Amino acid sequence: MTGGTGRPRTGPATRTVRTTLPVRQRAVALLLLCLALAAVPLPAAAAPAAPYALAAAPYAATAEGHPTVHLSRKEAGKGGSLTVTGRGWRPKALLTLLICGQNMIGGTNSCANGDGRAVTTDAHGAFHRLLPVAEPPKPCPCVVHAATVTGEAAAAEAAFTVAGHPVAPLPAERTGGRLTVLDRPRLAGSSGLLTWFGAPARRQLTLTVGNLGSAPAKDPVFRVGTSHGIFAAEWEEQQWRGTVPAGKKAEVTLPVELPAGAHGDYLVSLEYGGKVLAEQPWGVGRPWGVTLFWVLLCVVVPTAVFRIGMALVDRVRPRRPGGTRRHGAGRTPPAGRTPAPGRTRAAGIGPRIRNRTAREGSTAGPGTPGDRAALPWFTQDTAPSTASTERPTSTERPTSKGSA
């Protein structure tokens, strides 16, 4: 319907649509604004500030991917202390902290081992530990050295100055080269039958080394060490015949031998120029042949002792009154006591057999000498008659047929 002016009338439904349309537009605009704000990245300050969050993965604390060590002080005198903090280590790993002289180029022999400390990393691979300051056996420059005790080998160092400790220049390299390991070392070889009986186990340590120095390394001298458990390594110097040119690499093979009867988990270490270049675990089986030998020895020796003892007892056994020893079953009886062939040897059988033979061999009547010989315990008056017991004998020869 239209009014007089020709304009259409606006009903109640039309007015409701016009009033709710702007509300919907505002809601859609607000929703788009929220989505845009959610897509904007938060600033770095809003990130969670969990301690050592970057060290959750092993060796993730530095850009190079290696563990690090930081010191609370760069210099301190003997008797003082400093706090050592580390990141990027393996979680729940056991570490040792040492103060070493000559930048530890002589290995742990240049460290104050008696004043070192042990520490275990947390779940994120971080740690902090109070370390007393001690004078190392070698002059400075000194470092604080941290290294793992078990598991995969990892180490880190930080420069430190021990106040009042003498300072001396570092020793020059003997070969002029600077070698490093380029590939994972490996142990080649296998154990033989003699190793199963306790012979020394032997392997060949093979690895690829590179010369990072400016001079060639000619006939370098390495130190090969073997350690078992928590015991210190036993080192042996071995010279490799050859030359590693500057900037080149070469494959080095060195023999490794363990003591006789060694078994268990061993760690083979290679050292050059005072630094450990590589470490390789080595599991050695138990020599069960030695165990078998001892078991057989424990069985054979008591048996032999028992047999020897029985032989001695038989020799010192007391003799019979007749001058003869007692003979057991299976032994040859004394002379004169051999039983008759086919007869059973038993107590009381011999006299009865002799008496029966005498009676059967006697043909005389009662009271004859043969009867007395057969029955010596009877007298003539009391001897029984043998006529009733013995079968009558006839001396008459039968007559032949037709004879009178």
Side-chain angles (χ1 to χ4, degrees):
M1 295 180 63
T2 58
T5 59
R7 295 181 179 179
R9 287 184 180 178
T10 303
T14 304
R15 288 194 299 269
T16 303
V17 171
R18 288 179 178 178
T19 56
T20 57
L21 184 59
V23 175
R24 292 181 179 179
Q25 293 177 353
R26 288 195 298 270
V28 172
L30 183 60
L31 180 59
L32 293 176
L33 180 62
C34 292
L35 292 177
L37 293 176
V40 175
L42 296 177
Y52 317 125
L54 295 178
Y59 313 129
T62 60
E64 294 80 6
H66 296 285
T68 59
V69 172
H70 301 280
L71 308 178
S72 61
R73 304 170 63 180
K74 295 298 182 180
E75 182 178 354
K78 181 181 178 180
S81 61
L82 71 153
T83 302
V84 183
T85 305
R87 286 188 177 184
W89 297 86
R90 192 171 62 252
K92 303 299 181 180
L94 180 62
L95 310 178
T96 56
L97 305 177
L98 300 172
I99 298 180
C100 307
Q102 288 186 345
N103 286 346
M104 202 188 169
I105 61 175
T108 55
N109 294 331
S110 60
C111 302
N113 299 306
D115 297 301
R117 292 293 183 268
V119 63
T120 303
T121 60
D122 58 14
H124 301 286
F127 72 90
H128 65 277
R129 185 73 162 86
L130 190 65
L131 179 66
V133 178
E135 293 185 352
K138 300 293 183 179
C140 286
C142 301
V143 294
V144 174
H145 177 76
T148 56
V149 177
T150 58
E152 184 180 357
E157 298 174 355
F160 181 72
T161 302
V162 180
H165 193 62
V167 179
L170 297 178
E173 295 186 15
R174 291 178 295 178
T175 59
R178 190 158 56 94
L179 301 181
T180 184
V181 176
L182 303 179
D183 196 4
R184 181 182 178 89
R186 60 187 183 276
L187 290 172
S190 59
S191 300
L193 181 62
L194 295 180
T195 305
W196 198 69
F197 284 94
R202 296 181 177 89
R203 292 292 187 274
Q204 297 290 333
L205 179 63
T206 304
L207 68 162
T208 303
V209 298
N211 189 357
L212 304 181
S214 59
K218 183 179 180 181
D219 297 338
V221 178
F222 297 93
R223 295 182 66 200
V224 180
T226 55
S227 60
H228 180 54
I230 61 175
F231 297 98
E234 296 181 1
W235 298 95
E236 179 184 1
E237 289 189 354
Q238 296 186 14
Q239 186 175 18
W240 181 73
R241 297 296 180 178
T243 303
V244 184
K248 302 295 182 178
K249 62 181 181 180
E251 187 176 77
V252 177
T253 301
L254 300 172
V256 183
E257 182 177 342
L258 295 180
H263 62 277
D265 295 330
Y266 281 80
L267 184 65
V268 180
S269 304
L270 181 68
E271 183 181 282
Y272 176 76
K275 290 188 177 182
V276 178
L277 299 182
E279 292 180 338
Q280 178 66 23
W282 182 9
V284 184
R286 182 181 294 273
W288 292 108
V290 179
T291 305
L292 180 61
F293 169 78
W294 285 110
V295 171
L296 293 178
L297 188 64
C298 293
V299 173
V300 172
V301 170
T303 304
V305 172
F306 175 76
R307 295 296 298 271
I308 294 174
M310 293 300 297
L312 294 177
V313 169
D314 187 67
R315 293 184 65 88
V316 301
R317 185 177 295 178
R319 299 173 179 270
R320 283 190 171 186
T324 59
R325 298 188 182 91
R326 297 177 179 270
H327 294 275
R331 295 180 180 271
T332 304
R337 299 294 300 274
T338 305
R343 300 292 183 174
T344 304
R345 185 180 181 185
I349 300 298
R352 288 199 298 268
I353 293 176
R354 288 195 299 272
N355 295 339
R356 181 180 176 183
T357 304
R359 287 197 305 268
E360 292 180 353
S362 177
T363 57
T368 60
D371 191 24
R372 288 194 298 268
L375 300 174
W377 58 86
F378 291 111
T379 63
Q380 292 183 347
D381 298 335
T382 60
S385 177
T386 60
S388 60
T389 59
E390 295 182 357
R391 180 178 300 178
T393 58
S394 176
T395 60
E396 297 181 356
R397 297 180 62 185
T399 60
S400 60
K401 186 177 180 180
S403 61

